[in-house]
Amino acid sequence: MQFSKQIAFITGAGAGIGRATALAFAGQGAKVAVSDINETTGQETVEQIKQAGSNAFFVRCDVADPAQIEAAINKTVEVFGRLDVAVNNAGIGGKFGKLLDQSKHDFDQMMAINVGSVFYGMQYQIRQMLGQENPGGRIVNVSSIAGVRGMPMGAPYSAAKHAVIGLTKTAALEYVRQGIRVNAVCPVYTHSAMVDDLIQAAPGMEDRMRRMIPMGRFGQPDEIAQAILWLCADDNAFTTGQALQLDGGMTAG
Ligand SMILES: NC(=O)c1ccc[n+]([C@@H]2O[C@H](COP(=O)([O-])OP(=O)(O)OC[C@H]3O[C@@H](n4cnc5c(N)ncnc54)[C@H](O)[C@@H]3O)[C@@H](O)[C@H]2O)c1
C-alpha cells in the first residue's frame, strides 16, 4: 500500500489511461478524486474503485476551463482534506490532417484542452500543495511520444505534447526546493478510445503503427498507469523534471 492515506486527483479518469491510473492508485491505498468531463464514465470508475474496497468520488471538470479545474481541486480538498498527487491526463487526439488542413478552431481547442489543462492544473495543484500542512506533492503530466518527435497528420497534437514537457520541466525546476516533484510520461500508441479513433481515420493505419514499435504491439493502459505510480512513489524521491518515454523501444533506435 505505497499510497496509503494519500490523496490523488486524476483528470480524464473516466476511460483509458486515466481510468487505469485511478484504479492503480486506489489499489495502492490512495483516496482518489476521479475527474472527467463525462459524468457517466467517471462514475463507473468510482464504482469500480469502490467495488475493489477503496475510496473515491467523482468531480466533473472540463479541463479546457480553468475555473472548473480550480473548483475540482477545491472540491477534492473539501472531501479528502489535502492533495498529495495530481495526474493531468485528460486530453484529445484532435483532427487527423496535415498542417494546412488544421483550422484555428482545431489549434485553439487543442491548446485549451491539452496544454491549458496542464498549465492551469499545475497552478491550482501546486498552490494547494504548498499551502497545506506538511507541504509537498507529486505531479505527473501525460504527454506522448508525439511530445518528443514530430507527428505527421497531427501538428496541433504534437505541438501541445511538446508544450506539456516544457511545462513539466519548468515547474519541476521552480518548485524542486519546496518538496514538489513534477514528471511527465510519454506513451506511444496505447489501447484506448483515442487510438481506436486514429485507426479508423485511415485504412491500414493499425499495421503501420504497430510496425513502428520494436515490441510489435501497442501499450496497455495499465502499463502506463504503473509508470505513473512509480514516478509518484515516495521511494522514488530523486526523480523530477523527467519525460519518461513508454514506447516499446521506439525511441531507442
Ligand atoms: N492512447 C494513446 O495511444 C496515447 C498515447 C500517448 C498519449 N496519450 C495521452 O493520454 C491521455 C489519455 O488518453 P487515452 O488514450 O486514455 O484517451 P481516452 O479517449 O480513452 O480517454 C480520455 C479521457 O479524457 C476525457 N476528456 C476528454 N476531454 C476532456 C476535457 N475537456 N475535460 C475533461 N476530461 C476530458 C474523456 O472523457 C476520457 O474519459 C491523453 O492526454 C492522451 O493525449 C494517449
Side-chain angles (χ1 to χ4, degrees), residues 16-17 36-37 61-63 89 142-143 157 161 187 189-190 192 195:
I17 292 167
D36 205 287
I37 197 170
C61 167
D62 177 352
V63 295
N89 161 76
V142 180
S143 177
Y157 184 80
K161 292 302 187 182
Y189 307 120
T190 300
S192 74
V195 157

Side-chain angles (χ1 to χ4, degrees), residues 8 22-23 49 80 99 113 154 163 168 202 224-225 232 248:
L23 291 166
I49 290 173
F80 286 146
L99 187 76
I113 297 177
T168 299
I224 313 306
C232 293

Side-chain angles (χ1 to χ4, degrees), residues 143-145 165 183-187 227-228 230-231 239 241-247:
S143 177
S144 166
I145 281 300
I165 294 176
N183 291 289
V185 288
C186 305
I228 294 172
W230 175 76
L231 286 169
T239 305
Q242 299 304 304
L244 182 61
Q245 296 171 23
L246 307 168
D247 63 0

Side-chain angles (χ1 to χ4, degrees), residues 7-103:
I7 312 304
F9 169 82
I10 301 164
T11 66
I17 292 167
R19 174 176 282 176
T21 304
L23 291 166
F25 273 102
Q28 288 295 323
K31 297 178 187 174
V32 183
V34 170
S35 184
D36 205 287
I37 197 170
N38 184 329
E39 174 148 14
T40 307
T41 57
Q43 293 286 11
E44 281 168 15
T45 302
V46 170
E47 277 316 302
Q48 289 183 19
I49 290 173
K50 287 187 171 167
Q51 275 166 21
S54 298
N55 198 346
F57 81 101
F58 174 74
V59 55
R60 189 182 177 282
C61 167
D62 177 352
V63 295
D65 178 1
Q68 292 189 37
I69 306 178
E70 183 178 25
I73 297 296
N74 289 343
K75 186 75 188 167
T76 302
V77 175
E78 187 189 316
V79 173
F80 286 146
R82 58 181 285 119
L83 182 67
D84 298 297
V85 168
V87 182
N88 294 308
N89 161 76
I92 56 166
K95 190 204 275 180
F96 184 79
K98 283 190 175 177
L99 187 76
L100 298 188
D101 300 322
Q102 303 278 355
S103 68

